[in-house]
Amino acid sequence: MTQQARARLVLGNWKMHGSLAENELLLAALRAADTNSSSQIGVCVPFPYLAQAAQALQGSAVSWGAQDVSAHEKGAYTGEVSAAMLKDFACRWVLAGHSERRAYHGETDQTVADKARAALQSGLTPVVCVGETLNEHEAGQTLAVIRRQLTPVLALGADAVARMVLAYEPIWAIGSGRSATPEQAQDVHAAIRAELAALGTPQVQVLYGGSVKAANAASLFAMADIDGALVGGAALVAEEFLRIAAA
């Protein structure tokens, strides 16, 4: 399946940024923009702002989602947010296994797979993130790390994986201003695509994340197996984010 047969997807991850006033301006700018491009566009916002995003973006071409989800359906899990709760806010997307969740909250590869399963059971599309550290990258362990992270996710089966999005985000490139070259990113994306093809799900979108900007988006998107971007800091500036989507 060619890249052209897979729709391009550009998702913004606001991380722990935003306020009601700042969000109002950003969301209004995204809604007002001409989004009749070949890219699907969405934003993943902090939990407290889901209602605001849903209200501001309803009926527009811009979709929305959350940055995390509980692996549990309901119960005594203080501070966690279930997939069903996210569905109440008409979320389409939810990030699972972002490198910051893995690093700061001890999420294991199996935890990430469990969260992806919970999201799917509520009709959400999990965006499962994988990526290696700088030490792993320099030691030539990138593909081994990616395969390890993907193993419990792919074990959910082809039917489940076909309803996911994957995102390769080299940890050494996140927020560092240092992006993988398009060729480096393509090599990893091609390896991920091979894993997907072996499962029978080559159509799954695979995004790149890691210091994506308007200046490097076009060269990344030109690669055969890069289907879009998971955008961090640049997603907080409407003009920059929309330029990435249009690249």
Side-chain angles (χ1 to χ4, degrees):
M1 177 174 291
T2 65
Q3 184 186 37
Q4 287 72 29
R6 299 185 302 269
R8 179 175 298 155
L9 173 62
V10 177
L11 290 177
N13 173 17
W14 290 6
K15 305 193 179 187
M16 198 173 71
H17 295 287
S19 68
L20 289 173
E22 292 170 345
N23 302 347
E24 182 178 4
L25 296 175
L26 176 53
L27 293 167
L30 295 180
R31 183 183 179 101
D34 178 8
T35 55
N36 293 322
S37 69
S38 59
S39 296
Q40 299 172 287
I41 302 175
V43 290
C44 292
V45 309
F47 292 136
Y49 300 132
L50 285 173
Q52 184 185 25
Q55 182 177 24
L57 298 174
Q58 185 175 15
S60 77
V62 184
S63 52
W64 60 92
Q67 300 171 357
D68 188 28
V69 64
S70 177
H72 305 288
E73 182 180 354
K74 62 175 66 175
Y77 303 104
T78 300
E80 297 204 33
V81 176
S82 73
M85 293 173 182
L86 300 182
K87 196 66 176 176
D88 271 348
F89 290 92
C91 288
R92 179 172 180 182
W93 318 100
V94 62
L95 305 184
H98 189 280
S99 62
E100 291 157 2
R101 298 294 309 179
R102 293 178 187 262
Y104 306 147
H105 299 275
E107 293 191 2
T108 66
D109 299 334
Q110 186 59 55
T111 299
V112 175
D114 292 343
K115 290 187 171 191
R117 180 195 291 114
L120 290 171
Q121 288 173 343
S122 286
L124 301 171
T125 299
V127 181
V128 178
C129 304
V130 297
E132 82 282 14
T133 66
L134 180 59
N135 287 341
E136 291 165 338
H137 174 69
E138 292 181 340
Q141 298 172 345
T142 296
L143 297 185
V145 170
I146 300 302
R147 290 191 182 100
R148 187 206 76 215
Q149 293 172 334
L150 283 177
T151 294
V153 175
L154 299 181
L156 296 176
D159 289 346
V161 174
R163 293 179 285 138
M164 298 180 188
V165 170
L166 300 183
Y168 169 55
E169 41 162 32
I171 298 169
W172 48 271
I174 297 173
S176 66
R178 175 183 176 185
S179 179
T181 67
E183 292 75 20
Q184 285 176 319
Q186 166 59 23
D187 287 346
V188 179
H189 279 245
I192 294 173
R193 184 80 57 204
E195 296 281 338
L196 291 169
L199 188 66
T201 56
Q203 75 278 14
V204 170
Q205 292 165 304
V206 186
L207 313 182
Y208 173 76
S211 297
V212 178
K213 304 177 180 65
N216 62 12
S219 58
L220 288 164
F221 295 164
M223 298 294 103
D225 291 298
I226 297 179
D227 301 320
L230 180 59
V231 183
L236 300 172
V237 181
E239 182 180 3
E240 180 78 359
F241 183 59
L242 291 167
R243 286 176 62 203
I244 291 170

